[in-house]
Amino acid sequence: MRDQKEVKALKTFAVRIRLATLEAIHAIGSGHVGGALSIADVLAVLYGREMNVRAEDPRWPDRDKLVCSKGHAGPGVYGTLALKGYFPYEELKTLNRNGTRLPSHCDRTKTPGIDVTTGSLGQGTSQAVGLALGDRLKGRKDRVFLIVGDGEMDEGQCWEAFAFAAARKLGNLVVLIDWNKKQLDGLCDDVLPMGSFAQKMTAFGFDTVQVDGNDVEAVAAALERTRQGGDKPYAIVLDTVKGAGVADVANTVMNHSIPVNDEKFEKWTGELKAELAELEG
Amino acid sequence: MKIVYNGEMDKRLCKEVLGATIPAILESDPDAIYLDADLMSCIGTLKYGQQHPDRAIDCGIAEANMAGVAAGLAMAGFKPIIHSFGIFASRRCFDQIFLSGGYAKNDITVIGSDPGVTAAMNGGTHMPFEDVALYRVIPGATVLEPTDPTCLASLLKQCVDRPGIKYIRVSRKSLAKVYEEGSELIIGKAPVLRDGTDVTIFAAGIMVHEAMQAAASLEQQGISAAVVDCYTIKPIDRETVIAMAKKTGAVVAAENASRHGGLYSAVLEVLAENCPVPAANVSVEDEFGEVGTQGYLQERFGLTAAHIEEQAKAVIARK
């Protein structure tokens, strides 16, 4: 992707997603900040460029689908959907409130634009695979994008799903592994080292690449490659920073679920707004 | 629906019925789709699966993934039917059925074969006593235990378009013939197979035959026992349970499953709220399964006509 205007637009979208994410989590006081921020850039590329969706018709059957299997990153997805016009931006402040349409973890029965219910880690993988298989059997031309966390890859179900996806030659499936190196109890390499995701996915029969997952241009290029389809599912290992875009969060190891008080909110959103001004200036 | 029970086994094996009914459903409904976890040859669907790999999908030995894939297929507009042995179809993929299926409103029909002691030679590792309890607690779920091959075919066909999670636990072997071939059995209704005035035996699955044998024996001793076929364990037929309890004033529940959370529990929940009468159960007590012939295991776990008879007399004495 060489269009610098588009690159700038995607970077701007990613910053806005981070602002929207913090807006939502600040309103309830705390939440899954780290893992929501690490996928802001891939969400910006997916919804800003790659995915064929209709905000005014969230259930359009031929749309591309997103499965955010790391369901706790819901606030990041909600921020993206609000910015895309699926529901009012102000509604982000209802995150986790009694009776809300925006629960902590993604719920397809509640939120316009959420395609798949996730939250019990690993379960989004099989659902994404089933959806990709079902859409193909129905003759639809859409693609299914599956975001899975690196900690989530501890779950055996992921590997059952990947074996099945490769066996069924699901070239309409793109697995995006958010390799942010941290899980709830600390560093992934301390909790349960998984080795190389790129090697594992290749061995499982995926067309695999690894890119800087917080670089919209690199992510866009990797996703563009997957448009050709074919008979292999795709895996993109996103080399990311948990908490990317907000230095204080990125520099905290235990940043899975953290409080966002008024003081932090002002500081962090101030930094993001300055970045935004620079991008838009 | 016509009751033709005479104590004889149905000539068809349940696995033959599954092997014929599943392909028939797939042929008549293009949205129906069937998934198995490497057990197609156990229910006679392997040949169909090999010929129609996009309609009958072998997922390999990965039940959790199979349940999740079924949920994904449901989102794409399909009506999935999945099968494995009862233990795997319940415990091994319970969270996936519960969340990816029930919670996410993805409708799935689950067939769990070899319930309770019918697992026989596969032994304790393969013997689900708890599957009924697990499926009963999934909100909106339907839990079925077909009585005979005719009942199985009828219920399975109804499940395809029924919303929610549907769990069918059924033996792969022969069952006593209760209904005339071609009979339609309605989900949620509990047919009174034999009327009576002294006690009602609510039974499911293989225990229906035992209950009918017990009732015949009791009749010779001057005791009038009614037998109700509870092939729908959830939603239980409240009206029939209440009416029969009021009429006979004593009940026995007979099930090839744990006493905790199964048919006995379902009957008691209705009775406690509506018409408490003396009740007893013929169930597996708080135990794990073990290997043996079905006949041996029915004796071992107390699941015979004699046990029902004994409980019926005991409960009548408590009136």
Side-chain angles (χ1 to χ4, degrees):
Chain A
M1 196 170 73
R2 290 284 173 266
D3 182 349
Q4 287 311 306
K5 210 172 148 190
E6 194 180 7
V7 172
K8 193 183 258 194
L10 292 174
K11 282 184 178 173
T12 304
F13 189 18
V15 175
R16 288 191 184 282
I17 291 170
R18 291 191 164 92
L19 279 165
T21 303
L22 291 175
E23 192 90 57
I25 294 175
H26 170 249
I28 191 74
S30 74
H32 296 104
V33 178
L37 292 179
S38 64
I39 61 166
D41 304 290
V42 70
L43 287 172
V45 178
L46 286 170
Y47 282 90
R49 182 171 199 264
E50 199 62 28
M51 285 173 67
N52 185 20
V53 292
R54 297 174 179 169
E56 71 286 0
D57 185 10
R59 292 282 185 196
W60 174 43
D62 292 322
R63 72 193 184 282
D64 288 336
K65 282 99 182 170
L66 176 75
V67 184
C68 184
S69 191
K70 39 177 283 181
H72 54 275
V77 186
Y78 303 153
T80 310
L81 294 174
L83 289 165
K84 288 291 286 182
Y86 282 81
F87 49 82
Y89 192 82
E90 275 303 298
E91 195 172 339
L92 289 172
K93 291 180 181 170
T94 70
L95 180 74
N96 291 355
R97 297 282 177 197
N98 298 338
T100 187
R101 294 199 295 177
L102 306 179
S104 55
H105 297 75
C106 299
D107 189 329
R108 78 181 195 100
T109 68
K110 291 194 166 63
T111 316
I114 290 293
D115 293 318
V116 172
T117 297
T118 53
S120 180
L121 292 175
Q123 292 204 25
T125 60
S126 301
Q127 293 187 79
V129 169
L131 199 44
L133 174 62
D135 278 347
R136 196 182 68 182
L137 291 174
K138 289 276 183 188
R140 299 182 189 124
K141 302 295 179 206
D142 66 280
R143 291 185 293 160
V144 176
F145 298 93
L146 164 66
I147 298 177
V148 56
D150 52 1
E152 180 175 14
M153 297 286 253
D154 297 354
E155 290 281 2
Q157 186 177 352
C158 299
W159 304 99
E160 292 185 3
F162 297 151
F164 184 83
R168 288 275 151 182
K169 305 185 192 307
L170 297 178
N172 59 343
L173 175 73
V174 181
V175 179
L176 300 144
I177 300 164
D178 180 23
W179 183 39
N180 64 28
K181 293 84 175 175
K182 292 174 190 168
Q183 56 193 105
L184 197 147
D185 271 346
L187 297 173
C188 295
D189 277 346
D190 290 335
V191 177
L192 184 63
M194 293 295 288
S196 164
F197 289 124
Q199 285 179 17
K200 280 188 163 66
M201 296 308 285
T202 302
F204 267 69
F206 280 63
D207 181 314
T208 309
V209 295
Q210 182 166 315
V211 298
D212 180 343
N214 293 128
D215 174 349
V216 290
E217 200 170 354
V219 174
L223 279 169
E224 198 170 306
R225 251 192 92 246
T226 68
R227 292 178 189 173
Q228 61 199 15
D231 61 2
K232 269 186 171 189
Y234 292 91
I236 302 175
V237 180
L238 301 168
D239 185 350
T240 59
V241 172
K242 193 163 179 173
V246 178
D248 287 350
V249 182
N251 293 330
T252 305
V253 174
M254 304 297 272
N255 67 8
H256 184 74
S257 182
I258 55 173
V260 182
N261 59 24
D262 292 346
E263 189 191 341
K264 286 177 181 168
F265 180 69
E266 292 306 325
K267 179 168 185 266
W268 298 347
T269 54
E271 291 165 11
L272 288 167
K273 280 173 185 164
E275 195 181 338
L276 202 57
E278 201 174 305
L279 279 165
E280 290 177 336
Chain B
M1 183 266 282
K2 192 177 173 194
I3 298 161
V4 294
Y5 179 84
N6 65 4
E8 289 176 12
M9 289 287 128
D10 195 299
K11 289 186 176 56
R12 297 164 294 167
L13 300 178
C14 289
K15 70 174 185 181
E16 293 166 359
V17 175
L18 289 170
T21 308
I22 292 171
I25 289 169
L26 297 174
E27 290 302 316
S28 67
D29 185 344
D31 288 336
I33 194 161
Y34 156 61
L35 294 84
D36 209 310
D38 196 34
L39 293 175
M40 283 187 175
S41 46
C42 295
I43 59 166
T45 51
L46 184 60
K47 196 174 166 197
Y48 184 88
Q50 287 166 341
Q51 289 165 349
H52 305 85
D54 283 344
R55 305 300 313 284
I57 296 169
D58 206 326
C59 298
I61 311 163
E63 297 79 9
N65 180 58
M66 174 169 72
V69 167
L73 288 166
M75 281 183 273
F78 286 95
K79 304 168 189 172
I81 300 168
I82 72 176
H83 164 258
S84 187
F85 289 154
I87 34 152
F88 308 131
S90 56
R91 298 199 306 263
R92 198 68 194 245
C93 57
F94 185 69
D95 193 31
Q96 286 74 19
I97 292 289
F98 191 100
L99 285 178
S100 298
Y103 180 79
K105 293 195 166 36
N106 290 314
D107 303 338
I108 304 171
T109 299
V110 185
I111 301 169
S113 55
D114 292 7
V117 296
T118 68
M121 293 303 170
N122 271 332
T125 56
H126 284 56
M127 197 162 287
F129 293 149
E130 64 296 317
D131 54 335
V132 182
L134 285 168
Y135 271 96
R136 274 189 74 221
V137 294
I138 300 176
T142 301
V143 181
L144 304 167
E145 185 161 3
T147 322
D148 71 358
T150 298
C151 183
L152 167 60
S154 176
L155 297 180
L156 181 53
K157 284 183 220 152
Q158 290 172 64
C159 281
V160 178
D161 286 305
R162 187 177 170 89
I165 298 297
K166 291 85 49 167
Y167 180 64
I168 303 177
R169 71 190 308 254
V170 66
S171 168
R172 288 182 287 148
K173 297 173 231 166
S174 179
L175 290 166
K177 188 177 180 71
V178 175
Y179 301 104
E180 187 178 62
E181 217 168 315
S183 292
E184 293 300 337
L185 287 306
I186 300 164
I187 291 175
K189 294 288 175 200
V192 179
L193 300 183
R194 178 187 174 117
D195 212 347
T197 52
D198 297 327
V199 62
T200 304
I201 305 161
F202 296 102
I206 62 166
M207 299 310 290
V208 172
H209 172 59
E210 301 298 328
M212 292 296 276
Q213 296 294 307
S217 171
L218 288 165
E219 187 179 32
Q220 290 178 354
Q221 300 164 59
I223 297 170
S224 171
V227 176
V228 176
D229 182 0
C230 295
Y231 57 74
T232 310
I233 300 171
K234 183 188 179 184
I236 192 87
D237 182 350
R238 299 173 67 88
E239 280 180 23
T240 300
V241 169
I242 293 166
M244 295 306 291
K246 280 185 176 163
K247 181 177 178 180
T248 60
V251 308
V252 175
E255 59 191 329
N256 172 25
S258 169
R259 65 171 288 147
H260 302 296
L263 176 62
Y264 181 47
S265 298
V267 168
L268 291 186
E269 286 159 19
V270 174
L271 295 182
E273 292 165 5
N274 296 281
C275 63
V277 296
N281 69 307
V282 172
S283 319
V284 176
E285 294 301 317
D286 201 23
E287 290 197 84
F288 294 106
E290 64 184 53
V291 77
T293 61
Q294 186 177 320
Y296 166 80
L297 293 170
Q298 283 188 242
E299 285 291 347
R300 159 72 181 82
F301 290 103
L303 305 178
T304 68
H307 292 96
I308 294 172
E309 209 177 313
E310 188 184 320
Q311 289 303 313
K313 287 176 187 169
V315 82
I316 289 168
R318 283 164 46 209
K319 273 194 194 179

